[in-house]
Amino acid sequence: NYEKRDSVLTSKQQIDRLLRPGSSYFNLNPFEVLQIDPEATDDELKKRFRALSILVHPDKNQDDPDRSQKAFEAVDKAYKLLLDPEQKKRALDVIEAGKEYVEHNVKEKKKQLKKDGKCQDVEEDDPEMFKQAVYKQTMKLFAELEIKRKEREAKDMHERKRAREEEIEAAEKAKRDREWQKNFEESRDGRVDSWRTFQAKGKKSKEKKNRSFLKPPKVKMEQRE
């Protein structure tokens, strides 16, 4: 029984428990954080949350504000998670899966012992040892799920980043294409104007040349002696 086991823990001991090495994985199990049985009623859950949150609250631990704040946040997060029916069911499913795994493991052990003609007693026959085995397997499952969640999150983030980069690249390419088109049209207009000016000048020059060619030559009068 969690409450009986830890009813003597002080504020400091509870903070130490909630922030112990590996707590980022231990605290994935909300029932472990609140030290309450998974079969506990909503009233028992509320009562346990109040008692534990008062113990680790920063106001009660002013000599250790940073650590007590982190401990309080862990307790608050676990409580809110268990208030959500869907999240609570997910946590209960993990615990049930841990229990089923251990039961299957015990059955396989006994089967092998029977096959070998040995005594079929295993350490998990002791209720406390069985409970410990379930606890360890449950923590392992919570950790594996969290690792997979982080991997999915990282993958999603990478894909969002890549999509954003492609979007920016496409926008920049479209901008470059528009600028190229604009510059091309401006330079084309400039080339057309230059050609027309060149043609107009050539035409005038040709007309002038033709006029001078058709002009009758000057007759030089000979002086009579």
Side-chain angles (χ1 to χ4, degrees):
N1 187 299
Y2 279 132
E3 260 185 82
K4 187 178 178 182
R5 188 188 74 188
D6 296 306
S7 59
V8 294
L9 289 187
T10 63
S11 292
K12 184 182 182 309
Q13 287 170 330
Q14 282 290 6
I15 292 169
D16 288 343
R17 178 184 71 84
L18 290 163
L19 301 181
R20 67 197 186 278
S23 60
S24 59
Y25 284 106
F26 287 120
N27 293 349
L28 292 171
N29 183 346
F31 298 103
E32 168 64 19
V33 172
L34 297 173
Q35 298 178 307
I36 195 167
D37 197 272
E39 282 80 37
T41 64
D42 287 347
D43 284 342
E44 288 170 332
L45 177 62
K46 190 182 289 185
K47 183 183 173 185
R48 181 59 188 155
F49 167 70
R50 283 178 180 168
L52 191 53
S53 62
I54 288 169
L55 265 182
V56 301
H57 199 283
D59 289 349
K60 188 177 171 66
N61 300 276
Q62 292 182 12
D63 59 326
D64 197 2
D66 293 340
R67 293 178 79 248
S68 60
Q69 180 63 36
K70 285 177 184 174
F72 177 78
E73 285 170 4
V75 170
D76 188 58
K77 183 181 177 182
Y79 179 61
K80 283 177 179 171
L81 190 146
L82 292 177
L83 287 180
D84 182 330
E86 193 177 320
Q87 296 271 23
K88 183 178 181 180
K89 183 183 180 304
R90 200 171 294 162
L92 287 169
D93 286 346
V94 174
I95 291 168
E96 186 59 31
K99 185 180 176 185
E100 286 175 3
Y101 178 87
V102 174
E103 285 173 346
H104 174 75
N105 208 27
V106 168
K107 199 180 286 182
E108 289 299 308
K109 275 186 186 179
K110 286 180 178 286
K111 193 187 288 183
Q112 187 61 46
L113 288 168
K114 185 179 180 182
K115 188 178 176 182
D116 296 341
K118 296 177 181 176
C119 175
Q120 294 174 46
D121 291 344
V122 292
E123 61 178 7
E124 289 88 355
D125 288 337
D126 177 348
E128 195 55 41
M129 293 302 289
F130 179 82
K131 191 176 178 182
Q132 280 296 314
V134 171
Y135 170 80
K136 286 176 184 175
Q137 184 59 32
T138 300
M139 291 313 302
K140 189 179 174 185
L141 289 174
F142 271 111
E144 286 172 356
L145 287 171
E146 178 64 5
I147 289 165
K148 284 179 183 175
R149 185 193 68 79
K150 285 182 176 179
E151 285 173 353
R152 280 197 308 272
E153 197 175 76
K155 187 181 176 185
D156 290 346
M157 193 180 292
H158 175 72
E159 286 176 358
R160 283 197 301 271
K161 186 184 174 186
R162 189 176 63 184
R164 180 63 183 148
E165 284 170 354
E166 287 174 357
E167 190 180 311
I168 291 167
E169 178 57 32
E172 286 177 352
K173 186 180 182 299
K175 185 182 176 184
R176 287 196 301 271
D177 289 348
R178 285 195 302 272
E179 286 174 355
W180 184 89
Q181 189 67 27
K182 184 183 174 187
N183 291 338
F184 174 78
E185 287 172 2
E186 286 175 356
S187 64
R188 182 191 61 191
D189 292 344
R191 288 195 302 275
V192 170
D193 289 344
S194 297
W195 176 246
R196 283 175 180 162
T197 304
F198 173 75
Q199 281 186 318
K201 281 182 181 176
K203 195 174 180 183
K204 282 180 183 176
S205 175
K206 194 174 181 183
E207 285 174 358
K208 192 175 177 184
K209 192 175 180 182
N210 287 342
R211 280 200 302 272
S212 62
F213 178 75
L214 294 170
K215 203 171 180 183
K218 286 183 182 178
V219 178
K220 197 171 180 182
M221 298 293 290
E222 288 183 5
Q223 285 184 341
R224 289 185 181 180
E225 289 183 359

